Amino acid sequence: MNGGRRRPTIEDVASEAGVSRGTVSRVLNGGHYVSAGTLDAVNRAIKKTGYVVNHHARSLVTQRSESVAFILSEPAERLFADPNFSVLLRGCTQALAEHDVGLFVCIAASPSDRTRITRFLGAGHVDGALLVSVHAGDPLLDLLGSAGVPYVACGAPLGFESKVSYVAADERGGARTMVEYLRSAGRSRIATITGPLDTSGGRGRLEGYREVVGDAFDESLVEEGDYAQDSGDRAMTKLLARRPDIDAVFVASDAMALGALNALHRAGRRVPEDVAIGGFDDSSAAVSARPPLTTIRQPYPRISREMVRLLLAAISGEEPSAVILPTELVRRDSA
């Protein structure tokens, strides 16, 4: 009985705000065609009365679940091991909360995961999806398209760039900036540890590196990683064995750069005196590294907000669009 207290209704909010019931309803459904003053009055009335939206009743009217899925195409442990994923998840959650939209986290690391997730999404449990770490040829893209589920990707989805919305950092431009910085510091034998080359980030950062080294490009100075720390360690170990003369390395993620630092320390190489090292992301790993990493900052808060903005637009029926955001060189002690 709730102590005899009646739950506040939409009529109570309208009376407190001095507006019609329909105006309150428009505010609750996105605030379209409502002036800023009225919007503020209704929001203050909602807070004062303690009114709570009945999402089930709203969904019956709008045919929407008021929730979306955050889908990571990586093993579950990567969600916690890679700081970039947790930053994106937190940013998307906060941006969606401003629109009173909830978030489901889904891990799509295997074919059975993808099938189960697609079935869940296709049943209407969410209004759309935010895709993170999409690899080339990922069947999830076709599955979601066939199920009619709107989605937005973080990073250009290879092969689907003109078909779906996505938000990305300037991968090539950021890589060029880092390699040019290493060259300006007098380094001439610059190696690179790439990200996975079946992702737009991995390919774009390698392309940026190649654009700077030009005709001097040497395959022996390139090793592929998968963005995880241990892959950076393995790749750096191979590079040192093959090319002990390298004096700098551009690593396509901060996490891999930590692994590369471990390999350099084991080999007795001083950083930056013997080998300068530059990362990519400006994650928490860059600050905790010893020495702290010179790196390329990705604007993750903006990436999160833009992903949510484009997804809400896609859910409303707008055409796909892409947003490319600038990166920034952050100088620290490793280069």
Side-chain angles (χ1 to χ4, degrees), residues 64-116:
R64 292 185 181 177
S65 68
E66 303 298 339
S67 60
V68 302
F70 181 98
I71 304 176
L72 177 64
S73 294
E74 300 287 352
E77 57 269 20
R78 292 290 294 278
L79 177 60
F80 306 101
D82 191 320
N84 297 324
F85 295 146
S86 59
V87 170
L88 278 171
L89 176 58
R90 182 169 63 250
C92 290
T93 300
Q94 292 170 345
L96 286 165
E98 295 175 5
H99 299 274
D100 205 20
V101 175
L103 186 70
F104 287 96
V105 177
C106 304
I107 303 298
S110 68
S112 60
D113 288 339
R114 297 182 186 96
T115 300
R116 183 174 60 255

Side-chain angles (χ1 to χ4, degrees), residues 6-178:
R6 180 177 64 85
R7 290 183 61 181
T9 67
I10 196 171
E11 285 80 9
D12 296 326
V13 175
S15 176
E16 177 66 31
V19 299
S20 69
R21 187 185 190 283
T23 297
V24 176
S25 180
R26 285 197 295 276
V27 170
L28 295 175
N29 288 287
H32 302 296
Y33 311 113
V34 178
S35 70
T38 300
L39 182 64
D40 181 62
V42 172
N43 284 329
R44 281 189 282 107
I46 289 171
K47 185 175 181 180
K48 183 174 180 179
T49 60
Y51 176 74
V52 177
V53 177
N54 185 331
H55 287 285
H56 176 67
R58 183 198 287 183
S59 67
L60 291 176
V61 175
T62 64
Q63 297 298 301
R64 292 185 181 177
S65 68
E66 303 298 339
S67 60
V68 302
F70 181 98
I71 304 176
L72 177 64
S73 294
E74 300 287 352
E77 57 269 20
R78 292 290 294 278
L79 177 60
F80 306 101
D82 191 320
N84 297 324
F85 295 146
S86 59
V87 170
L88 278 171
L89 176 58
R90 182 169 63 250
C92 290
T93 300
Q94 292 170 345
L96 286 165
E98 295 175 5
H99 299 274
D100 205 20
V101 175
L103 186 70
F104 287 96
V105 177
C106 304
I107 303 298
S110 68
S112 60
D113 288 339
R114 297 182 186 96
T115 300
R116 183 174 60 255
I117 290 168
T118 304
R119 187 165 58 243
F120 175 79
L121 270 60
H125 296 297
V126 298
D127 298 321
L130 300 163
L131 306 188
V132 178
S133 197
V134 180
H135 296 254
D138 191 334
L140 187 61
L141 299 172
D142 282 324
L143 288 171
L144 291 177
S146 298
V149 178
Y151 63 88
V152 172
C154 180
L158 296 174
F160 288 78
E161 295 92 336
S162 63
K163 302 175 184 177
V164 302
S165 295
Y166 65 89
V167 182
D170 183 1
E171 315 282 5
R172 292 170 62 180
R176 284 197 306 268
T177 297
M178 177 58 75

Side-chain angles (χ1 to χ4, degrees), residues 192-197 202 206 222-227 250-252 256:
T192 187
I193 298 174
T194 76
L197 297 179
L206 176 59
V222 180
E223 275 294 330
E224 183 178 352
D226 65 5
Y227 289 142
F250 163 50
V251 188
M256 290 195 300

Side-chain angles (χ1 to χ4, degrees), residues 178-251:
M178 177 58 75
V179 181
E180 288 168 351
Y181 173 73
L182 293 172
R183 292 186 81 175
S184 72
R187 310 292 171 148
S188 58
R189 296 176 299 282
I190 305 172
T192 187
I193 298 174
T194 76
L197 297 179
D198 62 349
T199 65
S200 57
R203 291 187 187 180
R205 295 170 204 183
L206 176 59
E207 289 169 1
Y209 167 85
R210 294 192 65 155
E211 287 173 5
V212 177
V213 299
D215 293 339
F217 177 76
D218 185 342
E219 289 280 1
S220 69
L221 291 172
V222 180
E223 275 294 330
E224 183 178 352
D226 65 5
Y227 289 142
Q229 181 173 333
D230 58 352
S231 75
D233 191 321
R234 291 192 300 270
M236 190 75 248
T237 300
K238 291 179 182 178
L239 285 170
L240 289 172
R242 188 166 65 236
R243 291 294 303 267
D245 60 330
I246 61 175
D247 59 9
V249 58
F250 163 50
V251 188

